[in-house]
Amino acid sequence: MKRANICIIGAGRLGRAAISQLAESGHNVMVIDKKAENLKFIREFATIEPIIMDASDINAMRNEVGLEDIDTIIVATSDNIEIIATLLELQTEINFFNNLKIAARAVNKRHARVLKQIGVDWIISPEEEAGIKMALLTVDKNFLNYADSLKEIASGVFAGSVTVKSPHYINRSIRNANLRQFNVNVVLIKRNKETFLPAAETIIQQNDEITIIGKIGDVTTVLQKLESIKK
């Protein structure tokens, strides 16, 4: 079997979004779903044949899935407690499975607490994130323009990315651009096909995609400044 370093359980909307992103990034992705119709979308992305199976069935998971080849499992279904219980039970059986990381979808804060208590490594709350974004639309006039690029990484702290168009920042170093005055930090630059961590003396070039972090209002303000073609 070709190495599948990531397994996604559940090929609904959230699962499909993760699958397409991971496939685009060159990962080998194994996909499991108990409904055959959900896997039709997967054929164009699959490097490994998708599996039609109930992932809460411990015998099927034990016998039909090459767990030794998997580093991370993303449980993208909302009804996932039994699936995660199965994975954790298998983890206690197989020594080489101990380093497995599990990410799971939570539908609310209570669900998230349960997932954390039983041992899930990463918890994804798409509904809560969507609610936060909807609320921010009403209080930040710039939020709508950059909503698709914004991601909350901690309570009240967001990361956002934009392509630099402003003549004011092009050909200036990170230090001289002085974006810190707006209470944000530059954390990544994507230039052509290369992504790197910038230093203080890194020169900002036209069409660099810059990622910054900070409070939401500060982030959207700076994204607008970087994108503006006005001098």
Side-chain angles (χ1 to χ4, degrees), residues 6-8 15 17-29 74:
I6 298 176
C7 174
I8 295 181
I19 291 159
S20 60
Q21 180 64 45
L22 290 167
E24 184 179 326
S25 301
H27 291 278
N28 292 322
V29 182
I74 300 173

Side-chain angles (χ1 to χ4, degrees), residues 2-79:
K2 183 182 290 186
R3 179 173 173 77
N5 54 0
I6 298 176
C7 174
I8 295 181
I9 298 174
R13 186 166 61 179
L14 178 64
R16 290 197 298 269
I19 291 159
S20 60
Q21 180 64 45
L22 290 167
E24 184 179 326
S25 301
H27 291 278
N28 292 322
V29 182
M30 174 186 290
V31 182
I32 299 172
D33 196 294
K34 61 183 178 182
K35 295 181 180 179
E37 59 266 28
N38 287 347
L39 296 174
K40 293 178 181 178
F41 162 88
I42 307 308
R43 302 295 175 181
E44 63 181 293
F45 297 103
T47 54
I48 297 167
E49 187 67 18
I51 301 173
I52 304 170
M53 187 179 68
D54 181 354
S56 66
D57 183 336
I58 192 167
N59 290 322
M61 288 291 289
R62 185 186 289 121
N63 298 324
E64 298 183 35
V65 182
L67 297 176
E68 69 278 7
D69 291 328
I70 296 171
D71 302 315
T72 302
I73 294 182
I74 300 173
V75 185
T77 61
S78 54
D79 185 12

